[in-house]
Amino acid sequence: MPLIVAIDGPSGVGKTTASKLVARELNLPHIDTGAMYRAIGLAATRAGVAVRDAQALEELALRSDIEFIPGDPPRVLLDGEDVTREIRTPDISMAASHVSAVPAVRRILVRKQQELGRRNGGVLEGRDIGTKVFPETPYKFFLDASPEVRAHRRHAELSAKGETVAFETVLADSVQRDKQDSTRADSPLMHDETYTVIDTSSLTIPEVVDAIVKSVRERES
Ligand code: C5P
């Protein structure tokens, strides 16, 4: 199997920034699996499908063509339309979290993620990469940080994009999304002893990247 690095963790922990740099260092594609759940969240919102209607969501996921194209920046296509920017709003974050609790949606997207990873290897970031998508990889990292630190990062990210959202709203959304993601029946956000846990609260991005790359290289050689 090609080299697979799994990077899981809650929202706003810095997974995307770190994963992108790890992928660059290791010369692997960066695969952001959250973007695929976001695309289904967007499709559901546009089609007026209730995020709790499992049957309708399964049908939607089956007929939606979602393509994730690794690159810098990576792009997400929904039925051929580039939705890379549209999927990054707070509303779509929440919609993604709802639709991702539907087992049929997960089954369809996990299959796509496995196909992508098997093609050229990759640094895959998400919530269930080391538990469900590629449980056999020895390279599993769980990034963590306190809810406040994560909400601060998310808030700064949104502000940088010109979006004015109150910090309290970002914190409340983040706490709710993490609760949903950790308590769902299918593939909840979790880690076990096969993971290396990295608390990123007091680490810089280069330090996080360095820790992951070193750990992979040490065991690869
Ligand atoms: O990582 P990101 O915040 O973009 O993910 C959006 C949502 O997609 C998460 O809140 C989570 O509910 C879901 N997700 C998932 N499994 C993954 C990646 C994301 O359930 N592997």
Side-chain angles (χ1 to χ4, degrees), residues 8 11 15 32-35 37-38 88 93 96-98 100 106 113 125-129 154 177 181 184:
D8 288 314
S11 58
K15 289 192 303 289
D32 171 5
T33 64
Y37 291 93
R38 286 170 179 272
R88 294 291 156 196
S93 302
S97 176
H98 285 299
S100 73
R106 302 203 70 81
Q113 293 156 14
E125 60 158 298
R127 304 291 187 288
D128 60 341
I129 308 303
R154 189 64 102 190
R177 198 142 69 90
D181 292 349
R184 67 185 175 216

